[in-house]
Amino acid sequence: MENEEHENRNSENRNEQKLDNIKELGQTQIPDFRSDIHCLTISGQIEGHMVLPPQNKTTKYEHVIPQLVAVEENPNIKGLLIVLNTVGGDVEAGLALSEMIASLSKPSVSIVLGGGHSIGSSIAVSADYSFIAPSATMTIHPIRLTGLVIGVPQTYEYLDKMQDRVIRFIVEHSSITEKKLRELMFRTGELARDIGTVLVGKDAVECGLIDEVGGIYDAIRKLKELKNKKGAILQ
């Protein structure tokens, strides 16, 4: 009798799990595979100090930080794959995430799918190696503030310093030169009523911002290669 009740409970749990999978993922079964690679998704807009409207698709930086700490601390995680499809967002939050990724002791690979715009470019280059899909784009432009800006010299000085921080980080973690990056940022005529540059796939590689054009297979292959190198060094 107890065995029957136990089997019934297990059957009910399986049915509930299938229903949850259908509601969340649109299918009854999901791959049952435990990987030693942690996949971090940066999608939509990077939400920092200001809470964005509920209709906005966001990645909250306070949700990402614990994941990065877990990647560093968990001995079962051997590498980090960062998948980007973001329009950018809070500059300080994006830069904070970039610094955390760059300081990880474990190998990391990023891949831009769709878009890696604005401060998303800093996160893309923060990994040990970066990829971009052939059709993906990256928008390089100066830092902007929305809303009321107090017209005093200190405000502009702060913007200049923040701009320098972003430029310094990108230059240090990619092959692009500071001169080239500033040229792309302040180029006129590329964007309507604006300044900046849109880079598509191989353009981002040719200027030295991204390491290679590729897809998920290439990114995971490279991450496994970096894991093996890291393991050999530790041994």
Side-chain angles (χ1 to χ4, degrees), residues 58-83:
T58 64
T59 297
K60 300 178 188 294
Y61 87 122
E62 69 268 24
H63 292 176
V64 177
I65 289 172
Q67 291 185 61
L68 294 175
V69 173
V71 167
E72 182 63 32
E73 284 197 314
N74 191 336
N76 296 321
I77 297 175
K78 306 299 183 185
L80 175 66
L81 177 66
I82 305 133
V83 179

Side-chain angles (χ1 to χ4, degrees), residues 80-84 101-102 104 106-112 121-132 173-175 205 208-227 229:
L80 175 66
L81 177 66
I82 305 133
V83 179
L84 288 131
I101 293 167
L104 289 172
K106 295 176 182 178
S108 57
V109 170
S110 67
I111 178 167
V112 179
S121 59
S122 297
I123 298 175
V125 303
S126 66
D128 296 324
Y129 200 86
S130 57
F131 286 90
I132 184 169
H173 293 87
S174 69
S175 301
V205 177
L209 185 63
I210 298 294
D211 292 313
E212 191 177 335
V213 174
I216 288 293
Y217 169 78
D218 302 294
I220 292 177
R221 174 183 51 79
K222 185 65 179 180
L223 190 50
K224 288 179 178 177
E225 180 186 314
L226 293 174
K227 279 195 313 173
K229 283 184 182 177

Side-chain angles (χ1 to χ4, degrees), residues 7-23:
E7 287 178 7
N8 288 336
R9 280 198 299 270
N10 286 341
S11 178
E12 288 175 4
N13 290 336
R14 284 193 295 271
N15 289 333
E16 286 178 5
Q17 183 63 54
K18 284 183 178 180
L19 287 172
D20 288 338
N21 289 342
I22 290 170
K23 284 189 290 186

Side-chain angles (χ1 to χ4, degrees), residues 60-204:
K60 300 178 188 294
Y61 87 122
E62 69 268 24
H63 292 176
V64 177
I65 289 172
Q67 291 185 61
L68 294 175
V69 173
V71 167
E72 182 63 32
E73 284 197 314
N74 191 336
N76 296 321
I77 297 175
K78 306 299 183 185
L80 175 66
L81 177 66
I82 305 133
V83 179
L84 288 131
N85 189 0
T86 177
V87 295
D90 189 293
V91 176
E92 285 196 337
L95 205 51
L97 296 180
S98 302
E99 292 282 10
M100 286 192 73
I101 293 167
S103 63
L104 289 172
S105 65
K106 295 176 182 178
S108 57
V109 170
S110 67
I111 178 167
V112 179
L113 300 171
H117 306 294
S118 191
I119 197 63
S121 59
S122 297
I123 298 175
V125 303
S126 66
D128 296 324
Y129 200 86
S130 57
F131 286 90
I132 184 169
S135 62
T137 57
M138 300 181 75
T139 305
I140 309 299
H141 64 75
I143 290 174
R144 307 184 182 99
L145 287 180
T146 55
L148 178 66
V149 178
I150 300 172
V152 294
Q154 289 88 339
T155 303
Y156 302 112
E157 185 181 341
Y158 174 75
L159 271 179
D160 281 341
K161 285 184 176 179
M162 182 172 284
Q163 184 75 70
D164 289 340
R165 286 163 60 197
V166 173
I167 290 172
R168 193 182 312 119
F169 183 89
I170 293 175
V171 169
E172 287 176 356
H173 293 87
S174 69
S175 301
I176 196 170
T177 63
E178 182 175 339
K179 181 181 178 182
K180 181 65 177 176
L181 182 58
R182 286 185 181 274
E183 179 196 328
L184 294 173
M185 276 187 171
F186 299 102
R187 183 179 292 171
T188 57
E190 287 283 332
L191 300 174
R193 302 184 305 279
D194 206 343
I195 55 177
T197 306
V198 177
L199 301 171
V200 181
K202 63 182 177 118
D203 298 333

